[in-house]
Amino acid sequence: MLGQDARATSQVAPGAPALRGIWLTRGTDGRLTAYVAGDGGLRRWSETRPGGPQWDAPDVVRLPELTHLSVAQNSQGYVHFAGRRERPTGSGGVTVDIVHAIQYQTGRPVTSWNSLGNPHKEADVGSRFGAPVVVVNTSGEVHVAARNGRGGMMVRRERADGKWRGWEDLRCTRIKEVPAVVALDSGCLEIFASTDKGTLYWQQEKPGGGWGEVQRSPLAVSPGSLAVLETAPGRATYFWTDPSGGVVAYRADGSPMELGGAPGDGGHAVIRTELDGLDCTVLAHRGVNGAVAVGVGVTENEAGGVWWSDTGAACLGTPVLAHDALGRVVMAAVGTDGAPRVARQTEEPGLGFDEWRAL
């Protein structure tokens, strides 16, 4: 998910995995934009007016040779893209770096891609540099986090003058997956990552400051399933799929809480919204049957249960959630034909969605 509502397709190098995914953002003009990664670039649709339901014909954002992409927004609505670029070398290997670009307004061109480099000098280690996650804190400082080529955690951030600091090494090993990173309303960031031995957790000591000691736990996380949402001021809840099945919620210094559900491979979309006067958390994922499944529960009241429903709509990968200009939850997913579809919250009590609309 992106920006305040969400919180993690291209031309690719020969032999590199094809980039896939879907993202939703909302501009300062109130219009939603859907991005879908596919061969040839990042296809982009925007609502014709705030709240829809019509969408413009798509255009294409050209991408460098990306294998992974992360998207986030700042408080001004700027869309930040961070990607992992993989290019072949003459010797048959690959060179990897992280690149960054910005879209300033809905439907406007994306800036040129700026390389943030790769902290490894050794070619074989550098080729294993992981996928980035981009987030923006409350002061507008852009952060990019990624697993390094030795399984550690690296962070790079933009200074107030627009220049980038060097890569920071958070000193750990054994990270296998893309981390979950969240920028809290307090201005601090948190990073949560899984390893083959459990999980690692960092919290920024103060806004713009350094990082405290890593906290470790033996918790098991299914690969690629981590998601995060700020569920109270300055407090994040992490969600993932338990290896034995079902969704788990976890807050630092607490214990994992079972939420039920039957998720398949992939991650979770998560968003907060008000339903019938209650602050609720909505989750969406691709279920074991291949269809989009949605869960709803009262925020930070996991003991009260989560109600799951199967939309019956088959999808590829993880769906996404966002709020439109009228505050309604909008769900988007890529169908099995590769085309994006959206469903919008209805006015019925609870959480119901209208029919899926193909873009």
Side-chain angles (χ1 to χ4, degrees):
M1 299 178 61
L2 308 176
Q4 299 301 313
D5 289 328
R7 279 295 168 202
T9 289
S10 71
Q11 299 170 310
V12 296
L19 175 63
R20 294 289 181 264
I22 183 169
W23 299 265
L24 277 176
T25 64
R26 190 178 73 227
T28 54
D29 62 359
R31 291 190 294 156
L32 290 176
T33 298
Y35 307 86
V36 176
D39 296 337
L42 191 65
R43 290 179 293 160
R44 180 178 65 175
W45 292 258
S46 295
E47 290 179 314
T48 57
R49 63 179 182 180
Q54 302 299 325
W55 298 72
D56 287 329
D59 59 5
V60 177
V61 176
R62 296 295 177 184
L63 301 180
E65 298 126 323
L66 301 188
T67 63
H68 298 80
L69 182 67
S70 177
V71 183
Q73 277 186 282
N74 66 10
S75 59
Q76 297 173 293
Y78 297 171
V79 181
H80 289 266
F81 302 91
R84 179 185 183 273
R85 179 168 60 181
E86 183 175 298
R87 293 176 289 182
T89 65
S91 60
V94 296
T95 60
V96 171
D97 67 341
I98 302 301
V99 293
H100 170 257
I102 306 172
Q103 175 189 293
Y104 289 104
Q105 291 180 319
T106 303
R108 300 298 297 166
V110 172
T111 66
S112 58
W113 293 82
N114 171 45
S115 177
L116 303 183
N118 183 324
H120 299 295
K121 295 182 180 179
E122 308 93 328
D124 60 332
V125 180
S127 67
R128 299 194 297 270
F129 202 73
V133 178
V134 61
V135 297
V136 187
N137 68 9
T138 52
S139 66
E141 188 178 54
V142 182
H143 293 68
V144 174
R147 173 190 53 76
N148 68 28
R150 294 189 174 90
M153 179 59 63
M154 307 292 288
V155 178
R156 194 165 188 193
R157 47 183 157 172
E158 187 183 36
R159 302 189 321 199
D161 62 2
K163 296 182 179 180
W164 287 80
R165 304 174 190 268
W167 287 100
E168 302 170 68
D169 189 345
L170 300 194
R171 304 293 179 184
C172 67
T173 59
R174 310 182 77 98
I175 293 174
K176 299 294 185 183
E177 301 293 330
V178 179
V181 187
V182 61
L184 303 171
D185 284 345
S186 63
C188 293
L189 268 65
E190 291 184 5
I191 301 175
F192 193 92
S194 64
T195 73
D196 54 1
K197 297 293 185 180
T199 68
L200 304 174
Y201 167 80
W202 294 266
Q203 184 177 48
Q204 209 169 22
E205 296 170 337
K206 63 180 181 179
W211 300 87
E213 291 295 321
V214 60
Q215 299 180 33
R216 304 175 187 270
S217 86
L219 300 172
V221 177
S222 290
S225 66
L226 270 175
V228 61
L229 178 70
E230 184 170 20
T231 51
R235 183 166 64 236
T237 300
Y238 296 88
F239 302 87
W240 65 79
T241 301
D242 187 86
S244 63
V247 183
V248 169
Y250 174 78
R251 286 183 281 279
D253 302 323
S255 299
M257 296 163 284
E258 297 181 359
L259 304 184
D265 294 340
H268 302 273
V270 59
I271 194 172
R272 285 171 66 184
T273 197
E274 184 176 308
L275 299 173
D276 303 329
L278 297 174
D279 178 355
C280 292
T281 295
V282 180
L283 296 106
H285 56 238
R286 182 176 183 268
V288 291
N289 64 352
V292 178
V294 179
V296 180
V298 176
T299 300
E300 293 202 355
N301 184 26
E302 290 80 11
V306 173
W307 288 263
W308 294 95
S309 60
D310 185 344
T311 69
C315 70
L316 300 175
T318 304
V320 290
L321 299 167
H323 285 121
D324 70 9
L326 302 180
R328 298 172 298 189
V329 176
V330 177
M331 179 167 52
V334 177
T336 53
D337 59 358
R341 292 164 172 78
V342 298
R344 208 174 298 256
Q345 182 182 359
T346 66
E347 296 181 359
E348 300 172 357
L351 181 64
F353 290 92
D354 61 14
E355 295 295 321
W356 289 93
R357 175 187 293 267
L359 299 188

